[in-house]
């Protein structure tokens, strides 16, 4: 279904494409255009806004790069589904969503107590044959599947984890209540492609772009409390950080 934009005059001075982008963004933020809806075709939209198709295309591409619109190639342009722009602040998924006024849900697809692998024991500073609690969840944002998250926790730090329903409760809250709250994390991002299982869990396509993250979280004393690996849908997740020039 196509939803037209409310017409308003677009200034004819320089940076016209930015004004067009701002106009469309306001329509999205005000609810005039809802997530998943298709906007007018480029020819009709350019005519309605009184700009050239070149100017319009530049504005649409800017909104796509910012995650506000998505392009369906020959199918046209659509309002992007809900997404998360995660800043470099360490907090749980539900906390991150709540900070943006978005609803979040989790589906537990696997959990077990097992012996840590050699690599896990090293990273978590555990003795050989130590037990860990492994939790795998699909994370949802406003009803849309966003990522598949696997967390590995030293069981000796929080022995009560296996008895908690993590479809309803926050893992980070449970860790804090046990005195093992994450305070800092090393975070590595890389590109990946969806396997058949990942595509099924994320309601996506096999081979679709994913953003893979690996993290080691530590408490205030610097003791590792969690290893995590998450595969996020590339069209619904962005990580924002600030880079500073080196002091000379």
């Amino acid at each position: 279904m196509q939803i037209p934009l409310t017409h308003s005059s677009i200034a004819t001075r320089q940076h016209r494409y930015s004004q067009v982008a701002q106009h469309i963004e306001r329509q999205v933020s005000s609810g005039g255009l809802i997530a998943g809806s298709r906007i007018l075709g480029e020819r009709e939209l350019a005519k309605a806004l009184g700009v050239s198709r070149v100017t319009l295309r530049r504005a649409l591409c800017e909104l796509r790069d910012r995650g506000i619109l998505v392009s369906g190639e020959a199918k046209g342009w659509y309002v992007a589904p809900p997404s998360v722009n995660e800043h470099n602040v360490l907090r749980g998924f539900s906390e991150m969503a709540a900070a943006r006024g978005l609803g979040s849900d989790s589906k537990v697809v696997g959990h077990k107590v097992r012996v840590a692998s050699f690599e896990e024991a090293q990273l978590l500073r555990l003795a050989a044959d130590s037990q860990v609690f492994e939790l795998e969840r699909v994370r949802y944002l406003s009803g849309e599947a966003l990522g598949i998250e696997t967390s590995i926790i030293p069981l000796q730090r929080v022995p009560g984890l296996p008895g908690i329903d993590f479809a309803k409760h926050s893992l980070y809250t449970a860790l804090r209540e046990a005195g093992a709250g994450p305070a800092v994390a090393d975070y590595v991002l890389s590109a990946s492609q969806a396997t058949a299982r990942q595509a099924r869990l994320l309601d996506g396509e096999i081979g679709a772009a994913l953003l893979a993250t690996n993290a080691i979280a530590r408490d205030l004393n610097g003791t590792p409390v969690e290893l995590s690996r998450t595969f996020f849908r590339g069209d619904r997740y962005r990580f924002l950080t600030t880079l500073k020039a080196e002091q000379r």
Side-chain angles (χ1 to χ4, degrees), residues 14-36:
Q14 59 181 344
H15 305 309
R16 188 184 303 172
Y17 78 92
S18 293
Q19 296 167 350
V20 173
Q22 291 170 9
H23 174 77
I24 297 175
E25 184 177 5
R26 284 194 298 270
Q27 293 290 312
V28 174
S29 61
S30 67
L33 291 169
I34 61 175

Side-chain angles (χ1 to χ4, degrees), residues 5 8-27 49-51 55-56 58-60 62-63 66:
L5 295 174
S8 70
S9 60
I10 301 297
T12 58
R13 299 182 180 180
Q14 59 181 344
H15 305 309
R16 188 184 303 172
Y17 78 92
S18 293
Q19 296 167 350
V20 173
Q22 291 170 9
H23 174 77
I24 297 175
E25 184 177 5
R26 284 194 298 270
Q27 293 290 312
L49 298 178
V51 297
T55 296
L56 176 65
R58 187 173 179 182
L60 295 175
E62 178 182 303
L63 294 172
R66 291 168 52 198

Side-chain angles (χ1 to χ4, degrees), residues 103-124:
S104 63
D105 295 290
S106 297
K107 176 183 178 182
V108 176
V109 293
H111 61 92
K112 59 185 175 182
V113 174
R114 60 172 176 80
V115 175
S117 68
F118 177 76
E119 181 181 9
E120 291 166 348
Q122 282 193 316
L123 293 172
L124 291 170

